[in-house]
């Protein structure tokens, strides 16, 4: 390593926000769905179900989920369920595990999981598991540890986790663990914070966290913090608010959250707010969006901000929502 190479990082502007603009964020999310003719809204149709989950969970964490039209939301979600059982990102698209998990999370937020034909969802998820324990994301056959997490999380929220081969699923995820204790998307792939979250979350849901070397993984995760206070996804990358979720949630799951500088990270997250429109961006001064808004709020919740509802580190939903379910989670 060339010790003279400067670390890639950002400088937080002196005039950046230093307090949480909670109501502005709630207003930003609540108005986002009214802009259906905007270019940004139209061009993100392929993320519609995920985007609804990000926005609705943001509102739930601010305690303002009731600002949304529950009947309209549930009608859209159910129109996206296919005969095979899976949910698509929007009406007329193919079903995928990513949008299926978002759909079930949305239904859980509104205490409406009973609307789903659980048997069809479970049958579809089972059909995506491969002989090595991995899961395809959809019928086209891409394999990724994200899909292992999505499959297990879907079944756990439906209280049907025993319907798949959990041992094989766990073994595949463990085969994606690298020498640094972190995880990639497939065996031999580079370690990445997003994959670490998916794999530690999956192991938490299946009660197999004892396979993780918490100190080694905790070291790798804490090394993601840069001098600005922000967190990156892997070495030599810029910080991004979304990693305030992927990294922090993983550290929380393995009991090493105290290994990062909390005050500096809070300063970075708050600096990514837009004081005029509300919402969070990836970095200070960039455009805000619902994705970074959710993970900015969720990160602050994990860091102990009492103005945001406590968030579950495995499923990224308010803890009070999940208390109604019988889901079992393991932490170190």
């Amino acid at each position: 390593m060339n010790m003279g190479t400067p670390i890639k990082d950002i400088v937080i502007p002196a005039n950046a926000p230093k307090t949480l603009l909670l109501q502005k964020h709630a207003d930003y999310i609540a108005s986002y769905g009214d802009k259906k003719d905007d270019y940004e809204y139209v061009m993100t149709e392929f993320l519609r179900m995920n985007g609804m989950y990000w926005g609705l969970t943001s509102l739930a964490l601010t305690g303002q989920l009731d600002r949304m039209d529950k009947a309209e939301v549930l009608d859209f979600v159910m129109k996206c369920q296919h005969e095979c059982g899976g949910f698509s990102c929007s009406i007329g698209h193919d079903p995928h595990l990513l949008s299926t998990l978002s759909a079930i999370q949305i239904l859980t937020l509104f205490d409406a999981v009973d609307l789903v034909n659980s048997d069809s969802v479970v049958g579809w998820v089972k059909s995506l598991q491969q002989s090595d324990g991995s899961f395809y994301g959809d019928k086209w056959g891409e394999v990724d540890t994200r899909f292992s997490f999505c499959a297990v999380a879907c079944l756990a929220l439906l209280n049907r986790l025993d319907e798949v081969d959990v041992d094989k699923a766990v073994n595949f995820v463990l085969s994606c663990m690298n020498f640094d204790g972190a995880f990639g998307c497939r065996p031999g792939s580079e370690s990445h914070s997003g994959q670490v979250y998916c794999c530690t979350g999956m192991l938490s849901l299946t009660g197999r966290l004892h396979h993780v070397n918490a100190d080694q993984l905790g070291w790798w995760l804490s090394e993601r913090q840069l001098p600005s206070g922000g967190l990156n996804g892997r070495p030599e990358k810029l910080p991004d608010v979304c990693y305030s979720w992927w990294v922090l949630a993983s550290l929380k799951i393995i009991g090493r959250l105290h290994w990062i500088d909390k005050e500096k990270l809070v300063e970075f997250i708050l600096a990514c707010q837009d004081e005029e429109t509300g919402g969070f961006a990836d970095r200070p001064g960039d455009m805000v969006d619902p994705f970074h808004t959710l993970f900015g709020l969720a990160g602050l919740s994990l860091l102990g901000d009492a103005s945001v509802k406590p968030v579950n580190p495995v499923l990224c939903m308010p803890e009070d929502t999940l208390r109604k379910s019988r889901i079992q989670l393991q932490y170190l």
Side-chain angles (χ1 to χ4, degrees):
M1 178 181 177
N2 180 4
M3 298 304 290
T5 302
I7 296 174
K8 289 185 178 180
D9 199 3
I10 59 101
V11 176
I12 296 178
N15 63 347
K18 294 177 175 58
T19 59
L20 178 59
L21 311 170
L22 193 69
Q23 191 55 48
K24 277 188 174 288
H25 302 318
D27 293 343
Y28 162 71
I29 292 294
S31 66
Y32 191 84
D34 296 332
K35 304 172 183 177
K36 293 182 173 60
D37 293 328
D38 283 8
Y39 178 80
E40 179 186 358
Y41 188 91
V42 173
M43 293 305 292
T44 55
E45 183 179 2
F46 71 101
L47 288 171
R48 185 72 66 239
M49 189 71 75
N50 308 103
M52 288 179 66
Y53 156 71
W54 301 329
L56 293 167
T57 305
S58 296
L59 281 175
L61 288 174
T62 66
Q64 298 185 44
L65 184 60
D66 58 357
R67 294 180 65 173
M68 304 309 292
D69 186 326
K70 177 179 177 179
E72 182 182 352
V73 170
L74 296 182
D75 179 64
F76 172 82
V77 171
M78 294 312 301
K79 283 180 178 176
C80 292
Q81 185 173 25
H82 288 243
E83 196 172 323
C84 67
F87 288 81
S88 55
C89 60
S90 192
I91 298 168
H93 291 246
D94 289 337
H96 196 285
L97 269 175
L98 292 172
S99 45
T100 299
L101 175 57
S102 289
I104 294 174
Q105 287 174 304
I106 291 169
L107 293 170
T108 302
L109 284 172
F110 284 108
D111 194 21
V113 176
D114 57 346
L115 292 177
V116 179
N117 181 337
S118 297
D119 289 341
S120 64
V121 178
V122 171
W124 181 71
V125 172
K126 286 176 65 174
S127 74
L128 296 173
Q129 187 171 29
Q130 304 307 299
S131 59
D132 64 355
S134 66
F135 286 86
Y136 287 167
D138 58 16
K139 65 180 181 180
W140 304 111
E142 182 185 5
V143 169
D144 190 311
T145 46
R146 289 179 301 157
F147 310 148
S148 296
F149 171 76
C150 289
V152 165
C154 285
L155 297 179
L157 286 167
L158 295 174
N159 296 304
R160 302 282 292 275
L161 186 52
D162 58 345
E163 299 276 354
V164 293
D165 192 325
V166 172
D167 289 337
K168 278 191 173 183
V170 168
N171 286 338
F172 173 75
V173 165
L174 294 177
S175 74
C176 300
M177 184 190 296
N178 292 318
F179 68 93
D180 51 21
F183 295 84
C185 59
R186 288 180 292 276
S189 295
E190 178 186 11
S191 295
H192 190 282
S193 301
Q195 310 302 142
V196 171
Y197 163 78
C198 290
C199 293
T200 55
M202 187 271 191
L203 294 172
S204 170
L205 286 160
T206 56
R208 310 295 177 85
L209 275 176
H210 59 277
H211 291 294
V212 172
N213 183 329
D215 285 345
Q216 186 182 29
L217 178 55
W219 172 85
W220 188 89
L221 289 166
S222 61
E223 283 290 299
R224 305 280 59 78
Q225 188 163 35
L226 298 169
S228 65
L231 301 166
N232 63 17
R234 50 200 169 104
E236 300 303 314
K237 296 296 182 180
L238 289 173
D240 186 319
V241 156
C242 70
Y243 294 111
S244 303
W245 175 255
W246 312 121
V247 174
L248 281 187
S250 302
L251 286 169
K252 178 72 172 179
I253 291 168
I254 65 171
R256 302 296 186 276
L257 187 58
H258 58 289
W259 283 17
I260 53 99
D261 187 324
K262 171 184 172 180
E263 291 183 2
K264 293 195 72 172
L265 179 54
V266 168
E267 180 185 3
F268 173 82
I269 296 174
L270 294 177
C272 295
Q273 301 174 100
D274 189 309
E275 291 180 287
E276 293 184 18
T277 66
F280 288 80
D282 56 350
R283 287 177 280 278
D286 288 353
M287 290 292 292
V288 300
D289 58 69
F291 175 82
H292 290 94
T293 300
L294 169 58
F295 296 127
L297 290 170
L300 291 172
S301 176
L302 286 179
L303 291 167
D305 191 317
S307 64
V308 185
K309 281 191 172 187
V311 67
N312 183 273
V314 175
L315 292 162
C316 197
M317 298 172 68
E319 289 281 16
D320 59 3
T321 298
L322 291 173
R323 287 195 196 106
K324 301 171 186 175
S325 69
R326 293 173 291 166
I327 197 164
Q328 297 293 314
L329 299 167
Q330 180 189 25
Y331 303 107
L332 295 181

